[in-house]
Structures are given as C-alpha cells and as structure tokens.
Amino acid sequence: MTDKSQMDVSPKAEPVMPAFGAGDAPAPAQESAPRARYDLVFWVGIALALFAAMPALVAWAPQMTDYPSHLAGYKIMLEHGSNPFLTWYFLFHWEWTGNLGVELLMVPLAPLLGVEAAGRIIVAAIPALTGLGIVAVSWVLRRRVGIGPILAMVTIWSPSLLMGFLNYSLSLALALFTFALWVKMEGSAWRRMVMIPLGFVVWLSHVSGWGILGVMVFGYEWTRRASWRDWRPFLAPWPLIFPLLPMLAGMGANSKLSYGRWGVFEYKWGILYKALRSYDYVFDIATLVAVLLVASAALVVKRIDGRLGWAALIMFGLTMAVPRQIFGGDYADYRLSTAALMILLMAVDFRAKAPVWFLTACSLLFISRTGLTSVVWYRDAQTARTLIKALDYVPEGARVATAVAIPRRQWFFGPFEHFGSYAVVRRSAMENSNFALPDVHMLSMREEGYNFADPSHRILYSSYQRIDLRKFRPANHADYLWYIGNSQPVALPDGAHIVYETENSFLARLPDAVDLANPANGS
C-alpha cells in the first residue's frame, strides 16, 4: 500500500459519466463510445451477479457442508412448542444477537413456502446479492464497472459460503450495499440517521459483516483525510457503532476466544492460500494466483483505489490477528481472508480501456468457478436423493445417531457431513449433528447427560485406519444408526440390523429401538 499522495485516489480524479436530465446539455460525441462501453460492462456485471445463483438452481437442495443442520435449526425454531417431538428433545431460546440473518427471514418465509423451499430461495439469493453489491460499490465510487469488480466476483462462492455460513454471507452482501449507500449519501444530512438502523440490520445478520462494513467505511474516510494527523476518519463511522451496546450488555454474546490448540502460524498461512478453496485444488490455486497477479500489477502501476485498498490492507491484517474462534463461531479469521481478497480486487482500477479479451477472460474465470460449483452440486444432489430415502424407514420422532466418516485431509468440502440433520427436518427426530451447544447456539439438547450434538457425529480417519462402529457412543442412545462415508466400517454395534443401504451409506435399526409415534410397533 502506498501513501495517499501516490495512489491518486481523490474523488475528483475519478471519471464521472455525465447524467442526462432536464437542462443537461448533450454529451460530446467522443464521450458516447466510452460511456456505452461502461454501460455494457455494467450490464455484464449484473448478468454475472445473477449467474452466481446457478448452483442453488440446479440442485434440489443446497450442497453446503453445514446447511442441513441450519435447516434443522430453523425447523426447531419455528415448531418448538407445537411439535411434541421437537419440544421434547430440544430447547430453544430466542436471543437478540449478531447472528440472526436467515433466522429472521425464515419467520415470514417458511410458513408460506415451507422450510426447505425457503432455505433454497435464500441460498440462491445470497450469492446474487453479493454480486450485485460488488457492482453497486464500483458504480457509486467510479460510475463504471471495471476489471477489478468483475474479478472480485470469483470470491462470491467463498469457502465460507460453501461451508454454509449463511448468516455471515448474507451480512457481507448487506455490508456491500450499506457501504455503497454510505458513499452515495456523501454530504447528505440524512446519512447519519439512515446508517444507524442499517448498522443494526447488518449486525443482526452477523457481527462479522458489521465489522467488515466498519472497516470499509473507515478505509473510505481515511483517504479523505487532510493529513496524517487528521483524526476525523476515526470518528466518521460513529453511526455504525451502536450495536456495541447490546454486545457490551452481553445479549447473546459468547466471549470465548481461541486461536486453536496447535500450529497457529501454519493454520494462518493455510487460510490465506485456501482463500478460494472449493472443489478442485489445481483450479482453485491457479485462480488465486491469477487474481493476485492482476492485483499486484495494479499495485505496481498505482492503480489501487485507496478508498477500498486501505480497507483491504486492514482486512488482511485482521485475518492474521483475529482468533479462529470468537463469539462462539468457528473460522472467524478464515471468513475475513476471502473478504479481504474481494475488497482488494474491487480496488483494482485500471482506468484505461481494457481489451475485450481481458474482460472476457475475467468473466470466464468467474463463470468457470461458478459452473464447477454448479456441476458438483448437481452431482452431489443426485447422491443426496438416494441417501435421503433412508428416512422412509425412520418413524416420526425417532432417535437417530448419525456417523459420518471424514478423511483427515481433503481439499473439497464434503456436502454430507451434516446430512443426518434431515432426520430432524423430515422426521422430527432427535439427531446428533445439529448445532445445539449451550451458551453458543440458541438451540440446545434437553438431555444433557450425554453428548448428542455437533461434533459427535464426526469420525475423522486416515487411510490406514479402520472404522469400528461398536465404539460409536451416540449409538448407545439411539434407535437407528445412520452411517455416511466412503470407507466401509469393519463392525456394527451388537444387534444392529441394516434396513436400507446405498453405495456410501446405510441405515441400521438398533436392538432397543422404539417407535414413539406408534409405541406398539417398538421392540
């Protein structure tokens, strides 16, 4: 990052396309071609943003790692108190905290559409909104969309989104729109009044998105300082600070912090080079190298817009400084690494006319990444159709112990790690892969005598290890054992009887199973 005087980031230096209106003179003839080109790239950006929703449209259910457990949480949230099985197995307490984005959307949408349909629509909307937010920020800053924002779209399907961090991903999209509005309302007396409630909206969605918004606003105001001694940029974001009040009051806040148990520096390096991790190691690393080469070239020729560049620099610093676990959530720092890359690419501002082939290549990079995600999601969704048929053999209100075999080292994100939570969604079952930890989630298990929540379902294994399900403790408290994994177990719990089986899963009825919906049918 260079000094403000070297970055040429003054708003006056930005070309602003003339607007037509009453009393406006026609634009000079020589300006019509560049303006038409800017308008064309703008619409290309809009089209790419909408294309970002494609994975959720081709798969019957989003193939995100955590998604089934979030869906189960919404089901319990909406039916707790009216569904006798869910009320018996789970506790749910509403808390106003900075992690409620999709939960609040589910309240009106799920009764109209159903939980699964509403979830799919929200998942489709989040990447599209993120892309539209990138376009909005670029347009209000420069009145055009260039190579940088188009490249920034490769970060939409980030590791955070692929893992299913829905509230955070929604908050990031909202933060982009709120920042664009902050810039748009420059000089307006109403900006402070508008930003106070919007700050709460972003924070309610997820606290990390609110933090990113604050960093972006500070970076923008920092470039407007009169000198290095100017303290006003530190006070400028004050309309966004009010969510600190409920946080300091302890409303739904978990104060536990952790950098992990070992290998902190190795882990931090990992989240940097895995910033675009998805489904193909070579393609993901090649994409990361390509976009960093473009960003580096922009830095060398002083074409990094400081109004976003300073925020990107701060975000990279926070990625290294922030603990892995904060406010009860995991990968707090990993989320920031891809967000920092997004903001850095948005800051790339080659003001000269970019060759058509270069713009096409940047667009194809995003299309290829989103297309790969769509293909993988469609394939995994077909596998999921066979897996979920196991629930045809599970009675309403049963106790299901899910065991998922997970390789210790793999690049891609496994879509079935929390798939067992569909037993909650479709059978109102008690199941052990849900996010139901006291003092961390609003959801918790009523029975506290044993561990029957995430991560009790995980069986981490290496290639030389054998999986013995006789040692799987959650099965001691269940009616059914649902196993999912590519490594076949060497043994089942005593008395277990397989009632449904696929190539990579099976459902076994355990000897003491009881059908609570029809007690006479129990063993």
Side-chain angles (χ1 to χ4, degrees), residues 88 120 225 240 322 341 355 448 489 503:
W88 175 258
R120 186 182 181 190
R225 69 193 185 283
L240 304 173
V322 167
L341 181 61
E448 299 179 352
E503 183 180 356

Side-chain angles (χ1 to χ4, degrees), residues 55 58-65 162 278-279 372-388 410 412-417 419 422 484 486 504:
V58 301
W60 68 268
Q63 299 301 298
M64 297 165 163
T65 303
L162 291 171
S278 63
Y279 297 107
L372 173 63
T373 301
S374 301
V375 170
V376 173
W377 275 34
Y378 178 81
R379 180 199 66 197
D380 290 342
Q382 303 315 303
T383 302
R385 283 192 185 277
T386 63
L387 293 178
I388 208 164
Q410 65 179 11
F412 63 90
F413 295 103
F416 307 124
E417 187 171 322
F419 196 79
Y422 274 107
I484 301 173
N486 292 322
N504 58 349

Side-chain angles (χ1 to χ4, degrees), residues 85 89 394-399 423 427-430 479 514-517:
F85 296 117
Y89 290 137
V394 175
E396 195 82 5
R399 300 172 299 169
R427 289 293 180 267
S428 299
M430 182 178 82
D479 304 313
V514 175
D515 185 348
L516 294 181

Side-chain angles (χ1 to χ4, degrees), residues 70 187 209 310 449:
H70 288 309
W310 286 109

Side-chain angles (χ1 to χ4, degrees), residues 7 25 27 54 73 75-76 129 140 157 178 205 234-235 379 456 510:
M7 294 180 71
M54 183 59 64
K75 167 91 170 181
I76 297 167
L129 287 173
V140 298
W157 281 100
T178 304
S205 181
F234 292 94
L235 298 182
R379 180 199 66 197
S456 68
L510 298 174

